[in-house]
Amino acid sequence: MTLTDPLDLLDIDSLLSDEERQIRETVARFVTDHVRPHVADWFEEGTFPRELAPELGKLGVLGMHLEGYGCAGTSAVAYGLACLELEAGDSGLRSFVSVQGSLAMFSIWRYGSEEQKQEWLPRMAAGEAIGCFGLTEPDFGSDPANMRTRAVRDGDDWILNGSKMWITNGSIADVATVWARTEEGVRGFLVPRDTPGFTSRTIKKKLSLRASITGELAFDDVRLPASAQLPGAQGLGAPLSCLSEARFGIVFGSAGAALDCVRTAVDYAKARVQFGKPIAAFQLTQEKLADMAVGLNTSALLALHLGRLKDAGTIKPHQISVGKLNNVRTALAIARECRTILGGSGITLEYSPLRHANNLESVLTYEGTSEIHTLVIGQALTGHAAFK
């Protein structure tokens, strides 16, 4: 017997409902038809096609786990499986969907006024408007409590000053959710692109996430009406809750990157002949493939377990940290090992593993570095916060 897919090793599909399998297959077909033929060029050119956003809206993956306002209202597991297939295409694609749905849209859906929800969410779900999430700053990534961006009251208005860095979708977004310090603590604001004093630039010369737009945001005496504030967001816990939503998608997404790498390596090993037989017939190659398949299936089972906990409403932030830390670390190791099976061919964009490896270097860092997630888990185990 020969397995048709690496995830068949533990028959993981048998743990999914018919609807979950259908959603996964639908997203997989979209990636095959609309992404794989072009993603190497996007990566090489350092671009993400904005025209793909409405197509993702038609697919139903933008804010798909949210209820109402044009959103699909699917389960967490279904959303996770979509992320798995999107990142099997490229981390940049999944990043776009995660930032749009789990950060920008979720922040409005969870903390916004009804007027803000009606104004933005239907258009964002359709891919007609693009959002970004401004929390990270040039000098404050893992320590957002000390952010320098500030908003001060001026009559009924707010005056916003500061900057944000490493913002996915930043220079193409129609609206930014921006977090700033105020006299009452950290607050969130919706800043439309055409607001005077708000500028952005695209960060170039990246070696990772090249098929994704990363930007820097700047705010120079940006005047915002009182209606721009997210009324339900009070304190640092609000943006951190949004990050938990995005991190959940990464747990599944990184497993998707690993899956694509293992599929590529298995296919290549079967076809590549050396010393008179396919390299798949050599013991050292089989050891690599077996170890990677075990790691991949373990990651997929962990993601599915966390998805079931999220759907049950019982998931804890430290559990998401376990998922992100393990699955991204595992996926990065798999991508690098798969490249060795491909030999010299593995350094070209004709094959995906090294592209995935480059991308995963960023995924390992963003939405909480591996060090931060390690300390989150350590705090859960010991009761001691070792962040400082």
Side-chain angles (χ1 to χ4, degrees), residues 20 22 30 40 63 85 97 123 160 193 201 209 243 264 335-336 338 349 358 380:
E20 289 165 348
Q22 184 178 10
F30 178 90
E85 293 297 343
V97 171
R123 287 191 288 150
L160 180 68
R193 164 154 301 282
R201 70 172 184 90
L209 284 180
L243 290 179
T264 301
R336 290 168 174 165
C338 285
L349 281 172
N358 280 14

Side-chain angles (χ1 to χ4, degrees), residues 311-327:
D311 279 325
T314 60
I315 198 167
K316 305 293 192 302
H318 70 265
Q319 294 170 329
I320 297 177
S321 288
V322 171
K324 184 187 187 273
L325 180 66
N326 179 81
N327 285 13

Side-chain angles (χ1 to χ4, degrees), residues 240-253:
L240 294 183
S241 72
C242 300
L243 290 179
S244 289
E245 290 292 310
R247 290 164 178 165
F248 172 79
I250 292 172
V251 176
F252 277 86

